Amino acid sequence: MKEAKTFEELQLSLAKAKEHPKETGWDIYRYLKANIELMESQEARTLLACYMKMGLEKPSLLHSLILNVALRMAKRFPDFQFDRFFDMWEYPGIERIIGYVDYYDETHRFYHIYDNMSRHFVAIDPHIEPEVGGFVEFTPIIPEDGKFKTAVVHRAFGEEDYLAATEAFGTYDAIVTHVDEEKGFLDYRITSEIRQTPEGQITDEGTAFMGVMRYAKGQQLKLLLFLKRAKDGVKRNYVAKII
């Protein structure tokens, strides 16, 4: 990512915003991100207002990142009216849902998040750092072309809310059909109703890694699972947790 401009350079960019609005939008984002902890509320809100008046396309990666900045501003500045900004932000189908944090990409600083419909989202350098293996409440940002789904994280659930978040995400009842202790895997069959997903069909049978726990054939389980793309490019059942 390019380095943030100085304030003087940003002023020059704003003066020519009509000639290159998208580039100026990125300049505003980079400046806000780099200086959010140093600037006063009025300056931050003014720059954010400048961005909103530019009328750039949405949904987009830039628009999602600007929302992340606004969330940080709401946390830092008591006078920032986030609900009002959220109305101005104008994104169709705004919702807040529960997601499972599957893993963290240190190279790109991406958190990979799945919802219970098996949709895969990426939280890019979120202002709230979630825990891998935990749950978050987030707003899904789904571009019309469907190529890049992002997550704006509003809240990370701690241990005290973990059970409630698990129930909100949803689990499947299952029974163990085979155990391979040597390889550390078990086979299961889902016994509850299977949700339809836009990503493909969850199958009623599958395999899961046992970890340090031990299980027996015929044992009843609850599985937190969703479809995930394997190395061969095919989406299959993926058991994130055995409960």
Side-chain angles (χ1 to χ4, degrees):
M1 182 177 286
K2 294 182 180 179
E3 292 185 3
K5 293 181 179 295
T6 64
F7 183 70
E8 291 72 21
E9 291 171 334
L10 179 61
Q11 286 182 311
L12 292 175
S13 180
L14 288 168
K16 299 181 179 181
K18 289 185 179 180
E19 300 174 19
H20 43 71
K22 188 172 182 179
E23 182 179 339
T24 300
W26 277 104
D27 289 341
I28 291 173
Y29 164 71
R30 294 187 188 104
Y31 184 85
L32 284 169
K33 185 175 184 294
N35 297 282
I36 192 80
E37 301 300 329
L38 304 175
M39 63 178 62
E40 297 297 326
S41 174
Q42 181 63 46
E43 180 187 0
R45 288 185 285 116
T46 298
L47 288 174
L48 195 58
C50 288
Y51 171 85
M52 296 303 295
K53 290 178 181 178
M54 292 171 64
L56 295 174
E57 65 173 333
K58 48 185 177 288
S60 70
L61 173 59
L62 173 59
H63 207 51
S64 300
L65 292 173
I66 285 290
L67 183 57
N68 272 322
V69 169
L71 284 163
R72 290 179 61 187
M73 289 173 61
K75 184 177 180 180
R76 183 165 186 263
F77 304 127
D79 59 350
F80 183 73
Q81 300 176 356
F82 181 75
D83 289 342
R84 182 179 178 185
F85 170 81
F86 209 38
D87 290 338
M88 293 172 57
W89 194 67
E90 293 181 352
Y91 184 85
I94 287 295
E95 58 179 330
R96 293 192 182 195
I97 60 178
I98 305 300
Y100 176 79
V101 185
D102 187 50
Y103 67 102
Y104 177 61
D105 182 338
E106 293 186 3
T107 301
H108 299 95
R109 302 178 70 182
F110 289 177
Y111 286 90
H112 292 264
I113 299 171
Y114 288 81
D115 69 4
N116 69 357
M117 300 298 289
S118 300
R119 295 182 300 178
H120 178 201
F121 300 87
V122 174
I124 306 166
D125 192 18
H127 75 295
I128 297 175
E129 292 189 2
E131 181 180 353
V132 174
F135 295 92
V136 293
E137 180 184 58
F138 73 99
T139 292
I141 309 301
I142 307 175
E144 292 180 0
D145 60 12
K147 292 181 179 178
F148 198 86
K149 303 181 181 70
T150 60
V152 177
V153 177
H154 301 284
R155 173 189 177 193
F157 291 89
E159 291 183 5
E160 67 279 6
D161 298 317
Y162 189 84
L163 181 59
T166 302
E167 292 177 350
F169 186 93
T171 60
Y172 287 100
D173 295 327
I175 187 171
V176 177
T177 57
H178 177 72
V179 174
D180 188 331
E181 292 188 357
E182 183 178 347
K183 294 182 178 180
F185 286 90
L186 62 81
D187 294 333
Y188 63 84
R189 184 178 73 254
I190 296 175
T191 56
S192 56
E193 183 178 356
I194 296 177
R195 292 185 290 271
Q196 299 297 313
T197 86
E199 305 300 320
Q201 181 63 48
I202 291 174
T203 57
D204 60 355
E205 294 185 339
T207 300
F209 178 60
M210 292 192 295
V212 298
M213 301 297 291
R214 290 293 176 263
Y215 301 91
K217 183 177 180 180
Q219 186 173 346
Q220 301 288 330
L221 306 172
K222 283 188 177 296
L223 305 178
L224 190 147
L225 68 80
F226 42 83
L227 293 174
K228 184 176 179 180
R229 193 181 304 279
K231 292 182 179 180
D232 61 4
V234 178
K235 291 185 178 181
R236 298 185 178 89
N237 287 19
Y238 170 71
V239 176
K241 287 189 181 297
I242 300 176
I243 303 169

mmCIF file with all atom_site columns, all heavy atoms in Angstrom, residues 126-149:
data_model
loop_
_atom_site.group_PDB
_atom_site.id
_atom_site.type_symbol
_atom_site.label_atom_id
_atom_site.label_alt_id
_atom_site.label_comp_id
_atom_site.label_asym_id
_atom_site.label_entity_id
_atom_site.label_seq_id
_atom_site.pdbx_PDB_ins_code
_atom_site.Cartn_x
_atom_site.Cartn_y
_atom_site.Cartn_z
_atom_site.occupancy
_atom_site.B_iso_or_equiv
_atom_site.pdbx_formal_charge
_atom_site.auth_seq_id
_atom_site.auth_comp_id
_atom_site.auth_asym_id
_atom_site.auth_atom_id
_atom_site.pdbx_PDB_model_num
ATOM 1   N N   . PRO A 1 126 ? -8.711  -4.926  10.694  1.00 0.00 ? 126 PRO A N   1
ATOM 2   C CA  . PRO A 1 126 ? -9.848  -4.349  11.414  1.00 0.00 ? 126 PRO A CA  1
ATOM 3   C C   . PRO A 1 126 ? -9.423  -3.577  12.658  1.00 0.00 ? 126 PRO A C   1
ATOM 4   O O   . PRO A 1 126 ? -8.384  -3.844  13.261  1.00 0.00 ? 126 PRO A O   1
ATOM 5   C CB  . PRO A 1 126 ? -10.676 -5.583  11.791  1.00 0.00 ? 126 PRO A CB  1
ATOM 6   C CG  . PRO A 1 126 ? -9.683  -6.683  11.875  1.00 0.00 ? 126 PRO A CG  1
ATOM 7   C CD  . PRO A 1 126 ? -8.668  -6.396  10.806  1.00 0.00 ? 126 PRO A CD  1
ATOM 8   N N   . HIS A 1 127 ? -10.249 -2.593  13.053  1.00 0.00 ? 127 HIS A N   1
ATOM 9   C CA  . HIS A 1 127 ? -9.922  -1.788  14.235  1.00 0.00 ? 127 HIS A CA  1
ATOM 10  C C   . HIS A 1 127 ? -10.073 -2.605  15.512  1.00 0.00 ? 127 HIS A C   1
ATOM 11  O O   . HIS A 1 127 ? -9.486  -2.292  16.531  1.00 0.00 ? 127 HIS A O   1
ATOM 12  C CB  . HIS A 1 127 ? -10.802 -0.549  14.293  1.00 0.00 ? 127 HIS A CB  1
ATOM 13  C CG  . HIS A 1 127 ? -12.211 -0.797  14.722  1.00 0.00 ? 127 HIS A CG  1
ATOM 14  N ND1 . HIS A 1 127 ? -13.090 -1.552  13.980  1.00 0.00 ? 127 HIS A ND1 1
ATOM 15  C CD2 . HIS A 1 127 ? -12.883 -0.417  15.839  1.00 0.00 ? 127 HIS A CD2 1
ATOM 16  C CE1 . HIS A 1 127 ? -14.238 -1.612  14.617  1.00 0.00 ? 127 HIS A CE1 1
ATOM 17  N NE2 . HIS A 1 127 ? -14.146 -0.939  15.735  1.00 0.00 ? 127 HIS A NE2 1
ATOM 18  N N   . ILE A 1 128 ? -10.881 -3.667  15.450  1.00 0.00 ? 128 ILE A N   1
ATOM 19  C CA  . ILE A 1 128 ? -11.007 -4.619  16.548  1.00 0.00 ? 128 ILE A CA  1
ATOM 20  C C   . ILE A 1 128 ? -10.342 -5.911  16.094  1.00 0.00 ? 128 ILE A C   1
ATOM 21  O O   . ILE A 1 128 ? -10.744 -6.507  15.104  1.00 0.00 ? 128 ILE A O   1
ATOM 22  C CB  . ILE A 1 128 ? -12.483 -4.887  16.898  1.00 0.00 ? 128 ILE A CB  1
ATOM 23  C CG1 . ILE A 1 128 ? -13.149 -3.605  17.390  1.00 0.00 ? 128 ILE A CG1 1
ATOM 24  C CG2 . ILE A 1 128 ? -12.599 -5.984  17.952  1.00 0.00 ? 128 ILE A CG2 1
ATOM 25  C CD1 . ILE A 1 128 ? -14.645 -3.770  17.631  1.00 0.00 ? 128 ILE A CD1 1
ATOM 26  N N   . GLU A 1 129 ? -9.316  -6.353  16.809  1.00 0.00 ? 129 GLU A N   1
ATOM 27  C CA  . GLU A 1 129 ? -8.621  -7.568  16.409  1.00 0.00 ? 129 GLU A CA  1
ATOM 28  C C   . GLU A 1 129 ? -9.321  -8.789  17.015  1.00 0.00 ? 129 GLU A C   1
ATOM 29  O O   . GLU A 1 129 ? -9.289  -8.981  18.224  1.00 0.00 ? 129 GLU A O   1
ATOM 30  C CB  . GLU A 1 129 ? -7.161  -7.524  16.861  1.00 0.00 ? 129 GLU A CB  1
ATOM 31  C CG  . GLU A 1 129 ? -6.342  -6.476  16.133  1.00 0.00 ? 129 GLU A CG  1
ATOM 32  C CD  . GLU A 1 129 ? -4.871  -6.597  16.452  1.00 0.00 ? 129 GLU A CD  1
ATOM 33  O OE1 . GLU A 1 129 ? -4.497  -7.519  17.197  1.00 0.00 ? 129 GLU A OE1 1
ATOM 34  O OE2 . GLU A 1 129 ? -4.094  -5.758  15.955  1.00 0.00 ? 129 GLU A OE2 1
ATOM 35  N N   . PRO A 1 130 ? -9.947  -9.611  16.191  1.00 0.00 ? 130 PRO A N   1
ATOM 36  C CA  . PRO A 1 130 ? -10.645 -10.788 16.722  1.00 0.00 ? 130 PRO A CA  1
ATOM 37  C C   . PRO A 1 130 ? -9.676  -11.922 17.023  1.00 0.00 ? 130 PRO A C   1
ATOM 38  O O   . PRO A 1 130 ? -8.505  -11.879 16.635  1.00 0.00 ? 130 PRO A O   1
ATOM 39  C CB  . PRO A 1 130 ? -11.589 -11.169 15.573  1.00 0.00 ? 130 PRO A CB  1
ATOM 40  C CG  . PRO A 1 130 ? -10.878 -10.707 14.344  1.00 0.00 ? 130 PRO A CG  1
ATOM 41  C CD  . PRO A 1 130 ? -10.114 -9.468  14.737  1.00 0.00 ? 130 PRO A CD  1
ATOM 42  N N   . GLU A 1 131 ? -10.171 -12.913 17.700  1.00 0.00 ? 131 GLU A N   1
ATOM 43  C CA  . GLU A 1 131 ? -9.360  -14.081 18.026  1.00 0.00 ? 131 GLU A CA  1
ATOM 44  C C   . GLU A 1 131 ? -9.675  -15.213 17.065  1.00 0.00 ? 131 GLU A C   1
ATOM 45  O O   . GLU A 1 131 ? -10.843 -15.521 16.811  1.00 0.00 ? 131 GLU A O   1
ATOM 46  C CB  . GLU A 1 131 ? -9.650  -14.528 19.460  1.00 0.00 ? 131 GLU A CB  1
ATOM 47  C CG  . GLU A 1 131 ? -8.823  -15.720 19.905  1.00 0.00 ? 131 GLU A CG  1
ATOM 48  C CD  . GLU A 1 131 ? -9.128  -16.142 21.329  1.00 0.00 ? 131 GLU A CD  1
ATOM 49  O OE1 . GLU A 1 131 ? -9.880  -15.424 22.013  1.00 0.00 ? 131 GLU A OE1 1
ATOM 50  O OE2 . GLU A 1 131 ? -8.619  -17.206 21.754  1.00 0.00 ? 131 GLU A OE2 1
ATOM 51  N N   . VAL A 1 132 ? -8.647  -15.810 16.505  1.00 0.00 ? 132 VAL A N   1
ATOM 52  C CA  . VAL A 1 132 ? -8.839  -16.959 15.620  1.00 0.00 ? 132 VAL A CA  1
ATOM 53  C C   . VAL A 1 132 ? -9.489  -18.090 16.425  1.00 0.00 ? 132 VAL A C   1
ATOM 54  O O   . VAL A 1 132 ? -9.052  -18.413 17.526  1.00 0.00 ? 132 VAL A O   1
ATOM 55  C CB  . VAL A 1 132 ? -7.514  -17.426 15.020  1.00 0.00 ? 132 VAL A CB  1
ATOM 56  C CG1 . VAL A 1 132 ? -7.699  -18.707 14.216  1.00 0.00 ? 132 VAL A CG1 1
ATOM 57  C CG2 . VAL A 1 132 ? -6.916  -16.333 14.138  1.00 0.00 ? 132 VAL A CG2 1
ATOM 58  N N   . GLY A 1 133 ? -10.545 -18.660 15.864  1.00 0.00 ? 133 GLY A N   1
ATOM 59  C CA  . GLY A 1 133 ? -11.301 -19.679 16.579  1.00 0.00 ? 133 GLY A CA  1
ATOM 60  C C   . GLY A 1 133 ? -12.430 -19.102 17.389  1.00 0.00 ? 133 GLY A C   1
ATOM 61  O O   . GLY A 1 133 ? -13.166 -19.840 18.056  1.00 0.00 ? 133 GLY A O   1
ATOM 62  N N   . GLY A 1 134 ? -12.590 -17.784 17.329  1.00 0.00 ? 134 GLY A N   1
ATOM 63  C CA  . GLY A 1 134 ? -13.668 -17.114 18.046  1.00 0.00 ? 134 GLY A CA  1
ATOM 64  C C   . GLY A 1 134 ? -14.738 -16.582 17.102  1.00 0.00 ? 134 GLY A C   1
ATOM 65  O O   . GLY A 1 134 ? -14.742 -16.875 15.901  1.00 0.00 ? 134 GLY A O   1
ATOM 66  N N   . PHE A 1 135 ? -15.630 -15.764 17.647  1.00 0.00 ? 135 PHE A N   1
ATOM 67  C CA  . PHE A 1 135 ? -16.744 -15.234 16.877  1.00 0.00 ? 135 PHE A CA  1
ATOM 68  C C   . PHE A 1 135 ? -16.721 -13.712 16.878  1.00 0.00 ? 135 PHE A C   1
ATOM 69  O O   . PHE A 1 135 ? -16.216 -13.090 17.817  1.00 0.00 ? 135 PHE A O   1
ATOM 70  C CB  . PHE A 1 135 ? -18.075 -15.708 17.455  1.00 0.00 ? 135 PHE A CB  1
ATOM 71  C CG  . PHE A 1 135 ? -18.294 -17.192 17.354  1.00 0.00 ? 135 PHE A CG  1
ATOM 72  C CD1 . PHE A 1 135 ? -17.926 -18.025 18.394  1.00 0.00 ? 135 PHE A CD1 1
ATOM 73  C CD2 . PHE A 1 135 ? -18.874 -17.747 16.227  1.00 0.00 ? 135 PHE A CD2 1
ATOM 74  C CE1 . PHE A 1 135 ? -18.124 -19.401 18.319  1.00 0.00 ? 135 PHE A CE1 1
ATOM 75  C CE2 . PHE A 1 135 ? -19.073 -19.114 16.128  1.00 0.00 ? 135 PHE A CE2 1
ATOM 76  C CZ  . PHE A 1 135 ? -18.696 -19.941 17.178  1.00 0.00 ? 135 PHE A CZ  1
ATOM 77  N N   . VAL A 1 136 ? -17.278 -13.143 15.816  1.00 0.00 ? 136 VAL A N   1
ATOM 78  C CA  . VAL A 1 136 ? -17.406 -11.693 15.720  1.00 0.00 ? 136 VAL A CA  1
ATOM 79  C C   . VAL A 1 136 ? -18.805 -11.341 15.215  1.00 0.00 ? 136 VAL A C   1
ATOM 80  O O   . VAL A 1 136 ? -19.478 -12.156 14.575  1.00 0.00 ? 136 VAL A O   1
ATOM 81  C CB  . VAL A 1 136 ? -16.367 -11.080 14.752  1.00 0.00 ? 136 VAL A CB  1
ATOM 82  C CG1 . VAL A 1 136 ? -14.968 -11.219 15.293  1.00 0.00 ? 136 VAL A CG1 1
ATOM 83  C CG2 . VAL A 1 136 ? -16.469 -11.701 13.360  1.00 0.00 ? 136 VAL A CG2 1
ATOM 84  N N   . GLU A 1 137 ? -19.219 -10.127 15.522  1.00 0.00 ? 137 GLU A N   1
ATOM 85  C CA  . GLU A 1 137 ? -20.399 -9.555  14.891  1.00 0.00 ? 137 GLU A CA  1
ATOM 86  C C   . GLU A 1 137 ? -19.873 -8.625  13.806  1.00 0.00 ? 137 GLU A C   1
ATOM 87  O O   . GLU A 1 137 ? -19.012 -7.783  14.067  1.00 0.00 ? 137 GLU A O   1
ATOM 88  C CB  . GLU A 1 137 ? -21.224 -8.770  15.912  1.00 0.00 ? 137 GLU A CB  1
ATOM 89  C CG  . GLU A 1 137 ? -22.477 -8.134  15.312  1.00 0.00 ? 137 GLU A CG  1
ATOM 90  C CD  . GLU A 1 137 ? -23.228 -7.293  16.325  1.00 0.00 ? 137 GLU A CD  1
ATOM 91  O OE1 . GLU A 1 137 ? -22.610 -6.343  16.878  1.00 0.00 ? 137 GLU A OE1 1
ATOM 92  O OE2 . GLU A 1 137 ? -24.412 -7.564  16.567  1.00 0.00 ? 137 GLU A OE2 1
ATOM 93  N N   . PHE A 1 138 ? -20.371 -8.786  12.586  1.00 0.00 ? 138 PHE A N   1
ATOM 94  C CA  . PHE A 1 138 ? -19.824 -7.990  11.491  1.00 0.00 ? 138 PHE A CA  1
ATOM 95  C C   . PHE A 1 138 ? -20.894 -7.636  10.477  1.00 0.00 ? 138 PHE A C   1
ATOM 96  O O   . PHE A 1 138 ? -21.964 -8.244  10.414  1.00 0.00 ? 138 PHE A O   1
ATOM 97  C CB  . PHE A 1 138 ? -18.678 -8.743  10.802  1.00 0.00 ? 138 PHE A CB  1
ATOM 98  C CG  . PHE A 1 138 ? -19.107 -9.917  9.941   1.00 0.00 ? 138 PHE A CG  1
ATOM 99  C CD1 . PHE A 1 138 ? -19.222 -9.774  8.566   1.00 0.00 ? 138 PHE A CD1 1
ATOM 100 C CD2 . PHE A 1 138 ? -19.373 -11.152 10.499  1.00 0.00 ? 138 PHE A CD2 1
ATOM 101 C CE1 . PHE A 1 138 ? -19.592 -10.846 7.761   1.00 0.00 ? 138 PHE A CE1 1
ATOM 102 C CE2 . PHE A 1 138 ? -19.749 -12.229 9.711   1.00 0.00 ? 138 PHE A CE2 1
ATOM 103 C CZ  . PHE A 1 138 ? -19.863 -12.076 8.334   1.00 0.00 ? 138 PHE A CZ  1
ATOM 104 N N   . THR A 1 139 ? -20.581 -6.618  9.680   1.00 0.00 ? 139 THR A N   1
ATOM 105 C CA  . THR A 1 139 ? -21.409 -6.246  8.539   1.00 0.00 ? 139 THR A CA  1
ATOM 106 C C   . THR A 1 139 ? -20.769 -6.818  7.286   1.00 0.00 ? 139 THR A C   1
ATOM 107 O O   . THR A 1 139 ? -19.608 -6.518  6.994   1.00 0.00 ? 139 THR A O   1
ATOM 108 C CB  . THR A 1 139 ? -21.520 -4.719  8.403   1.00 0.00 ? 139 THR A CB  1
ATOM 109 O OG1 . THR A 1 139 ? -22.273 -4.196  9.492   1.00 0.00 ? 139 THR A OG1 1
ATOM 110 C CG2 . THR A 1 139 ? -22.217 -4.344  7.100   1.00 0.00 ? 139 THR A CG2 1
ATOM 111 N N   . PRO A 1 140 ? -21.482 -7.660  6.557   1.00 0.00 ? 140 PRO A N   1
ATOM 112 C CA  . PRO A 1 140 ? -20.922 -8.220  5.317   1.00 0.00 ? 140 PRO A CA  1
ATOM 113 C C   . PRO A 1 140 ? -21.033 -7.226  4.169   1.00 0.00 ? 140 PRO A C   1
ATOM 114 O O   . PRO A 1 140 ? -22.079 -6.606  3.971   1.00 0.00 ? 140 PRO A O   1
ATOM 115 C CB  . PRO A 1 140 ? -21.801 -9.448  5.063   1.00 0.00 ? 140 PRO A CB  1
ATOM 116 C CG  . PRO A 1 140 ? -23.116 -9.101  5.689   1.00 0.00 ? 140 PRO A CG  1
ATOM 117 C CD  . PRO A 1 140 ? -22.810 -8.205  6.858   1.00 0.00 ? 140 PRO A CD  1
ATOM 118 N N   . ILE A 1 141 ? -19.949 -7.066  3.446   1.00 0.00 ? 141 ILE A N   1
ATOM 119 C CA  . ILE A 1 141 ? -19.922 -6.180  2.283   1.00 0.00 ? 141 ILE A CA  1
ATOM 120 C C   . ILE A 1 141 ? -19.724 -7.053  1.048   1.00 0.00 ? 141 ILE A C   1
ATOM 121 O O   . ILE A 1 141 ? -18.652 -7.632  0.865   1.00 0.00 ? 141 ILE A O   1
ATOM 122 C CB  . ILE A 1 141 ? -18.788 -5.143  2.389   1.00 0.00 ? 141 ILE A CB  1
ATOM 123 C CG1 . ILE A 1 141 ? -18.840 -4.435  3.751   1.00 0.00 ? 141 ILE A CG1 1
ATOM 124 C CG2 . ILE A 1 141 ? -18.869 -4.150  1.251   1.00 0.00 ? 141 ILE A CG2 1
ATOM 125 C CD1 . ILE A 1 141 ? -20.134 -3.717  4.028   1.00 0.00 ? 141 ILE A CD1 1
ATOM 126 N N   . ILE A 1 142 ? -20.758 -7.143  0.229   1.00 0.00 ? 142 ILE A N   1
ATOM 127 C CA  . ILE A 1 142 ? -20.722 -8.060  -0.913  1.00 0.00 ? 142 ILE A CA  1
ATOM 128 C C   . ILE A 1 142 ? -20.854 -7.258  -2.207  1.00 0.00 ? 142 ILE A C   1
ATOM 129 O O   . ILE A 1 142 ? -21.934 -6.768  -2.532  1.00 0.00 ? 142 ILE A O   1
ATOM 130 C CB  . ILE A 1 142 ? -21.858 -9.094  -0.818  1.00 0.00 ? 142 ILE A CB  1
ATOM 131 C CG1 . ILE A 1 142 ? -21.813 -9.800  0.543   1.00 0.00 ? 142 ILE A CG1 1
ATOM 132 C CG2 . ILE A 1 142 ? -21.760 -10.101 -1.961  1.00 0.00 ? 142 ILE A CG2 1
ATOM 133 C CD1 . ILE A 1 142 ? -22.952 -10.741 0.780   1.00 0.00 ? 142 ILE A CD1 1
ATOM 134 N N   . PRO A 1 143 ? -19.758 -7.073  -2.945  1.00 0.00 ? 143 PRO A N   1
ATOM 135 C CA  . PRO A 1 143 ? -19.823 -6.341  -4.212  1.00 0.00 ? 143 PRO A CA  1
ATOM 136 C C   . PRO A 1 143 ? -20.799 -7.000  -5.180  1.00 0.00 ? 143 PRO A C   1
ATOM 137 O O   . PRO A 1 143 ? -21.028 -8.213  -5.122  1.00 0.00 ? 143 PRO A O   1
ATOM 138 C CB  . PRO A 1 143 ? -18.387 -6.413  -4.741  1.00 0.00 ? 143 PRO A CB  1
ATOM 139 C CG  . PRO A 1 143 ? -17.560 -6.695  -3.539  1.00 0.00 ? 143 PRO A CG  1
ATOM 140 C CD  . PRO A 1 143 ? -18.402 -7.541  -2.651  1.00 0.00 ? 143 PRO A CD  1
ATOM 141 N N   . GLU A 1 144 ? -21.347 -6.203  -6.061  1.00 0.00 ? 144 GLU A N   1
ATOM 142 C CA  . GLU A 1 144 ? -22.322 -6.726  -7.019  1.00 0.00 ? 144 GLU A CA  1
ATOM 143 C C   . GLU A 1 144 ? -21.726 -7.795  -7.915  1.00 0.00 ? 144 GLU A C   1
ATOM 144 O O   . GLU A 1 144 ? -22.416 -8.710  -8.346  1.00 0.00 ? 144 GLU A O   1
ATOM 145 C CB  . GLU A 1 144 ? -22.895 -5.578  -7.853  1.00 0.00 ? 144 GLU A CB  1
ATOM 146 C CG  . GLU A 1 144 ? -23.760 -4.618  -7.034  1.00 0.00 ? 144 GLU A CG  1
ATOM 147 C CD  . GLU A 1 144 ? -24.308 -3.505  -7.885  1.00 0.00 ? 144 GLU A CD  1
ATOM 148 O OE1 . GLU A 1 144 ? -24.013 -3.483  -9.102  1.00 0.00 ? 144 GLU A OE1 1
ATOM 149 O OE2 . GLU A 1 144 ? -25.035 -2.653  -7.348  1.00 0.00 ? 144 GLU A OE2 1
ATOM 150 N N   . ASP A 1 145 ? -20.416 -7.682  -8.202  1.00 0.00 ? 145 ASP A N   1
ATOM 151 C CA  . ASP A 1 145 ? -19.806 -8.693  -9.073  1.00 0.00 ? 145 ASP A CA  1
ATOM 152 C C   . ASP A 1 145 ? -19.396 -9.942  -8.292  1.00 0.00 ? 145 ASP A C   1
ATOM 153 O O   . ASP A 1 145 ? -19.009 -10.947 -8.866  1.00 0.00 ? 145 ASP A O   1
ATOM 154 C CB  . ASP A 1 145 ? -18.590 -8.132  -9.813  1.00 0.00 ? 145 ASP A CB  1
ATOM 155 C CG  . ASP A 1 145 ? -17.494 -7.641  -8.869  1.00 0.00 ? 145 ASP A CG  1
ATOM 156 O OD1 . ASP A 1 145 ? -17.568 -7.935  -7.659  1.00 0.00 ? 145 ASP A OD1 1
ATOM 157 O OD2 . ASP A 1 145 ? -16.573 -6.973  -9.347  1.00 0.00 ? 145 ASP A OD2 1
ATOM 158 N N   . GLY A 1 146 ? -19.511 -9.885  -6.940  1.00 0.00 ? 146 GLY A N   1
ATOM 159 C CA  . GLY A 1 146 ? -19.284 -11.061 -6.108  1.00 0.00 ? 146 GLY A CA  1
ATOM 160 C C   . GLY A 1 146 ? -17.843 -11.501 -5.988  1.00 0.00 ? 146 GLY A C   1
ATOM 161 O O   . GLY A 1 146 ? -17.572 -12.589 -5.495  1.00 0.00 ? 146 GLY A O   1
ATOM 162 N N   . LYS A 1 147 ? -16.881 -10.655 -6.391  1.00 0.00 ? 147 LYS A N   1
ATOM 163 C CA  . LYS A 1 147 ? -15.492 -11.098 -6.425  1.00 0.00 ? 147 LYS A CA  1
ATOM 164 C C   . LYS A 1 147 ? -14.757 -10.913 -5.103  1.00 0.00 ? 147 LYS A C   1
ATOM 165 O O   . LYS A 1 147 ? -13.803 -11.628 -4.813  1.00 0.00 ? 147 LYS A O   1
ATOM 166 C CB  . LYS A 1 147 ? -14.740 -10.349 -7.533  1.00 0.00 ? 147 LYS A CB  1
ATOM 167 C CG  . LYS A 1 147 ? -15.187 -10.726 -8.936  1.00 0.00 ? 147 LYS A CG  1
ATOM 168 C CD  . LYS A 1 147 ? -14.390 -9.960  -9.978  1.00 0.00 ? 147 LYS A CD  1
ATOM 169 C CE  . LYS A 1 147 ? -14.818 -10.347 -11.397 1.00 0.00 ? 147 LYS A CE  1
ATOM 170 N NZ  . LYS A 1 147 ? -14.091 -9.584  -12.422 1.00 0.00 ? 147 LYS A NZ  1
ATOM 171 N N   . PHE A 1 148 ? -15.142 -9.950  -4.302  1.00 0.00 ? 148 PHE A N   1
ATOM 172 C CA  . PHE A 1 148 ? -14.362 -9.650  -3.110  1.00 0.00 ? 148 PHE A CA  1
ATOM 173 C C   . PHE A 1 148 ? -15.285 -9.299  -1.961  1.00 0.00 ? 148 PHE A C   1
ATOM 174 O O   . PHE A 1 148 ? -15.760 -8.179  -1.858  1.00 0.00 ? 148 PHE A O   1
ATOM 175 C CB  . PHE A 1 148 ? -13.402 -8.488  -3.396  1.00 0.00 ? 148 PHE A CB  1
ATOM 176 C CG  . PHE A 1 148 ? -12.277 -8.397  -2.409  1.00 0.00 ? 148 PHE A CG  1
ATOM 177 C CD1 . PHE A 1 148 ? -11.123 -9.134  -2.590  1.00 0.00 ? 148 PHE A CD1 1
ATOM 178 C CD2 . PHE A 1 148 ? -12.369 -7.575  -1.306  1.00 0.00 ? 148 PHE A CD2 1
ATOM 179 C CE1 . PHE A 1 148 ? -10.074 -9.049  -1.692  1.00 0.00 ? 148 PHE A CE1 1
ATOM 180 C CE2 . PHE A 1 148 ? -11.332 -7.478  -0.394  1.00 0.00 ? 148 PHE A CE2 1
ATOM 181 C CZ  . PHE A 1 148 ? -10.181 -8.216  -0.584  1.00 0.00 ? 148 PHE A CZ  1
ATOM 182 N N   . LYS A 1 149 ? -15.545 -10.268 -1.093  1.00 0.00 ? 149 LYS A N   1
ATOM 183 C CA  . LYS A 1 149 ? -16.441 -10.047 0.037   1.00 0.00 ? 149 LYS A CA  1
ATOM 184 C C   . LYS A 1 149 ? -15.625 -9.626  1.253   1.00 0.00 ? 149 LYS A C   1
ATOM 185 O O   . LYS A 1 149 ? -14.684 -10.303 1.627   1.00 0.00 ? 149 LYS A O   1
ATOM 186 C CB  . LYS A 1 149 ? -17.232 -11.327 0.353   1.00 0.00 ? 149 LYS A CB  1
ATOM 187 C CG  . LYS A 1 149 ? -18.053 -11.876 -0.805  1.00 0.00 ? 149 LYS A CG  1
ATOM 188 C CD  . LYS A 1 149 ? -18.810 -13.127 -0.361  1.00 0.00 ? 149 LYS A CD  1
ATOM 189 C CE  . LYS A 1 149 ? -19.624 -13.718 -1.498  1.00 0.00 ? 149 LYS A CE  1
ATOM 190 N NZ  . LYS A 1 149 ? -18.789 -14.325 -2.538  1.00 0.00 ? 149 LYS A NZ  1
#
